[in-house]
Amino acid sequence: MLPGVSSPLGILASLLVLGALVLLTLFQLKRRQRSAWEAFAKANGLICAEKRLEVQGRYQGRPLLLATGKRGAGGKKRHTVTVLRLDLEGALPPDLLLEHERPEDKVPGAATPRDEVLGDAELDAAFQVENLAPEARPVLLDPDVRKRLLGLRGHRRVSIKGGWLQVEQRGVPASAGALEALIRAPHELARTVTAMAPALPASHALDAALHADTSQEEELPGSEHA
């Protein structure tokens, strides 16, 4: 063992070096994330916020919001998620709530009411549903829609609320390819849903939906709630 390594000064120096390496790694990661989000926004004609990881605009003609948020009660359970929101263009009633949350991400003691069901065993096992209007049922039970809904079960949370599809993923993508991969399946679901109900009224504008009533605040990116 080298002289002085086990001394208090040696231990302190080692901890300082280790801390500096950790900070450098985090800085490089955040820089890669920022570069990736800016590149993705530029490639798709979207707007990237200057001081936070947030991209919004029209992605392939559909209003989109992509941002990060914090989830968890605190301490080791607190973590960062990436949140994607896609406009369903009025294809489903705005009162409909359809939600999936992985068991390990549920708030302890949270109620899971079963007042309404879709009538499909696999979908009903995966999703909670409220305010299921008659015109929404055939859209959600369409084979293509059903397949794409079930394909999103690996995400931390999936919901349809207020006429928008929202998907949460743990962590923050650090490449444009990873961002494209995150969007691909939800975008295909949104496209399939809107194709099923082209005659329904157009949905609200992007800004109005993103900043709707405060009852939806806990679902918005950047929320401090689980």
Side-chain angles (χ1 to χ4, degrees), residues 39-58:
F40 171 77
K42 183 177 181 180
N44 291 281
L46 304 170
I47 299 171
C48 186
E50 292 184 4
K51 297 183 179 181
R52 60 187 183 277
L53 289 181
E54 180 179 300
V55 170
Q56 61 177 302
R58 301 190 73 88

Side-chain angles (χ1 to χ4, degrees), residues 20-32:
L21 290 174
V22 171
L23 289 175
L24 177 62
T25 301
L26 290 175
F27 173 77
Q28 292 175 334
L29 175 60
K30 288 184 178 297
R31 187 168 61 179
R32 288 200 306 272

Side-chain angles (χ1 to χ4, degrees), residues 137-218:
R137 189 186 299 272
V139 175
L140 297 172
L141 292 179
D142 172 78
D144 286 340
V145 173
R146 178 186 182 278
K147 177 182 177 180
R148 297 186 190 284
L149 271 173
L150 292 173
L152 295 180
R153 287 176 295 180
H155 291 280
R156 177 189 182 273
R157 180 181 292 173
V158 179
S159 66
I160 293 175
K161 182 178 182 180
W164 286 71
L165 169 65
Q166 177 165 308
V167 175
E168 289 190 13
Q169 172 182 288
R170 282 179 176 257
V172 180
S175 71
L179 288 166
E180 292 282 2
L182 168 62
I183 293 173
R184 188 175 299 119
H187 188 269
E188 280 300 304
L189 171 60
R191 183 192 61 78
T192 305
V193 168
T194 53
M196 283 292 300
L200 292 179
S203 63
H204 33 62
L206 177 64
D207 288 341
L210 296 182
H211 305 289
D213 61 87
T214 55
S215 65
Q216 294 188 28
E217 183 179 352
E218 65 180 21

Side-chain angles (χ1 to χ4, degrees), residues 5-25:
V5 171
S6 60
S7 69
L9 287 177
I11 294 173
L12 177 60
S14 298
L15 291 175
L16 288 174
V17 171
L18 179 60
L21 290 174
V22 171
L23 289 175
L24 177 62
T25 301

